Structure formats: structure tokens, C-alpha cells
Amino acid sequence: MTARIIDGKQVAAEIRAELKEEIARLKTRGIVPGLGVILVGDDPASRSYVTGKERACEEIGIYSDDNRLPAKTSQDELIALVKRMNANPRIHGILVQLPLPRHLNESEVLLAIHPDKDADGLHPVNIGRMVTGEKAILSCTPHGVLQLLVRSGVAIDGAHAVIVGRSNLVGKPLANMLIQKSPTGNATVTVCHTRTKNLAQYTRQADILIAAIGRPGTITADMVKDGAVVIDVGVSRVDDATKKAGYRLVGDVDFDAVKEKASLITPVPGGVGPMTITMLLYNTVASAKRAAGLDW
Ligand code: NAP
């Protein structure tokens, strides 16, 4: 079997088009979703992520409040800015680009964001709401994975989903989303990590296999069941002299071999990656609707 490729760029474009229409409707009611963006320091990768996020906002009509602060910004100054954004009715989502310079306490800054303006969906209040099945702002990357599955017509209900990776950013929230008693949940979930004995024994049982590891080539074809759906969250740089940048991006899955066994598979790049920013936009629009007392 040769797998159908899940085109993350296309799914992301579909969702952004839906959001653009929704924003146009909201604007007729005087509601303009706003994202407050904070970048501290001048790390080139962070700068380019933030620029990409601001451009994505502009393309669909989200107002973005861009705050680029010097690397020497103090903890108090940063928290004061977050608090001003919490109180600013034009801002519905707040994004603090990570990592922060070493002298700043990241978790304290993230906790200062009001949970209803937590565009990344990483605030413990939102994680708690998600785990208990309440309506919550969902973390962007795992929500992006869920949307890729749903919009590709994958049957999640009753499937055995095996997630390799248990980070707070991806593995743990995704496991919780997939076990929810909900139309996009009801999977049986196994979560694997570095202390899992005989990883392949678990991955071979997966109807849906999700790799969120950060180690190129960890998932080989012999670890995958025939016809499985394979989602590769991993992104690593490997040296490649044939590329202008001197490197290329690869996932955790041995794509060329695994695509011959899977029924559906995401590429890297162009799979999960484009979904992450899209779900950030989604969260900003959802928060704007909630702030206006609308269904979100
Ligand atoms: P992380 O915090 O480093 O977590 C990696 C997880 O993989 C850990 O739970 C670790 O187990 C597990 N692991 C590592 N090696 C393993 C092995 N050989 N066998 C089994 N489990 C193993 O990373 P993360 O933040 O979750 O990110 C994972 C990958 O996704 C990275 O490549 C990251 O760049 C990528 N990512 C992509 C996006 C996107 O938008 N496309 C977003 C977020 C992350 P232990 O817990 O036991 O250490």
C-alpha cells in the first residue's frame, strides 16, 4: 500500500479561509479579533516565527499588536506588559514567543497571561479545562494534529492511537484530546517515551501512530502496522550541503519507507507545521467570540 499524503498546508489554508470569513462576519458586528505578540531579544529564529505569525494575522484580518522588547527587559517590565494586554479589550489572545532570554522566568510570565487570552492554550487553567472535558482553548500543535485527523476523515472513535512522546507541549495534551468522550475523541490511547520497553511492540498496534519525539528516523517501517495513519510532529535540522541553508528539515518517521505501509501520512515539512500557527489564529478568533458573549 502507498499512503495518501496529508497535505498540512492545504488543510491549514482551508481553516484560514474559514477564519477569514468568520472574521469578516464579526467585523460587521464591530468585533475585530486581536493578538498581542511579545518578542524579547533578537534571536533570528524567534524573530522569523513572530514575523510569520504577524503576517498570518494580517492575511485573515486579525489585528496584531506587535511588541519587540530589548533582550535586557526585566521580569517586572515584561509582566507589566502582559498585564496591560490582559486589560486591553482590543487584545483577545496573547502570545509570548519562547524561549525567553535566560534571566527571565518563563513559567511566571506564562502564568501572568489571563487564561481567557491564552492564545497558545498552554496555561494550566486551559490544560485543566481540557483534561476535565470543559470547553477550553486548546494547545496549538496537538489541536492541529487533531484537525488533520478529523479533516482527513480518519476514524478516531474506537481506534488505538499510539503517541510517542510525552511532552507538555505535544504528547500529553494530544493524549487527553484523543481520549475525550466527544465526537473527535473516543480513541484508546497509549503514550510511549524513553523508558518504554520495546517501543515497536506498541507502535505496531497503532491504528493511528503519532511521533512527537525530535529524533530523526526513530519510526521505521517495521514499527508500523499495514494501513496505519502516521502523523509526524517531529522537526529536526540535518546537515545538507545541497541546500542553500546548509540543512534540511526532517521528521521522526522514515518517510520513504513508512509511506509504503501506511494508509495516510504527513510529510515534514508541510504536515503538522503549518497547522500550529493556524490553530493560534483559531484560538484568537475563539477568544474574541467568547469576550463578545458569542458561542465559541
Ligand atoms: P520534547 O519535549 O523533547 O519531548 C520529546 C519526547 O519524546 C519525550 O517525551 C521523550 O521521552 C520522547 N522520546 C525521545 N526519544 C525517544 C525515543 N528514542 N523513544 C521513545 N520516546 C522518545 O519535544 P516536544 O516539544 O514534544 O517536540 C517533539 C518534536 O516535535 C520536536 O522535533 C519538535 O521540534 C517538534 N514540534 C513541532 C511542532 C510543529 O509545529 N510542527 C510543534 C512542537 C514541537 P522522555 O519524556 O522519556 O524524555
Side-chain angles (χ1 to χ4, degrees), residues 146 149-150 153-163 174-175 177-180 182-191 202-210 225 227-231 263-264:
L146 189 66
L149 293 173
V150 169
V154 174
I156 300 173
D157 198 317
H160 184 192
V162 176
I163 302 172
L174 184 55
M177 287 175 201
L178 291 171
I179 56 166
Q180 286 305 318
S182 83
T184 58
N186 291 327
T188 301
V189 178
T190 301
V191 182
Y202 297 98
T203 58
R204 274 193 216 111
Q205 294 176 36
D207 302 310
I208 302 170
L209 175 59
I210 297 148
K225 180 165 88 172
V229 174
V230 179
I231 306 289
S263 58
L264 277 171

Side-chain angles (χ1 to χ4, degrees), residues 141 164-171 192-196 199 211-215 218 232-236 252 272-274 276:
T141 301
V164 188
R166 58 173 164 185
S167 70
N168 290 336
L169 192 61
V170 189
C192 303
H193 43 78
T194 54
R195 306 300 290 266
T196 299
L199 179 62
I213 307 165
R215 310 252 185 288
T218 307
D232 193 350
V233 183
V235 184
S236 305
D252 295 331
V272 175
T276 298

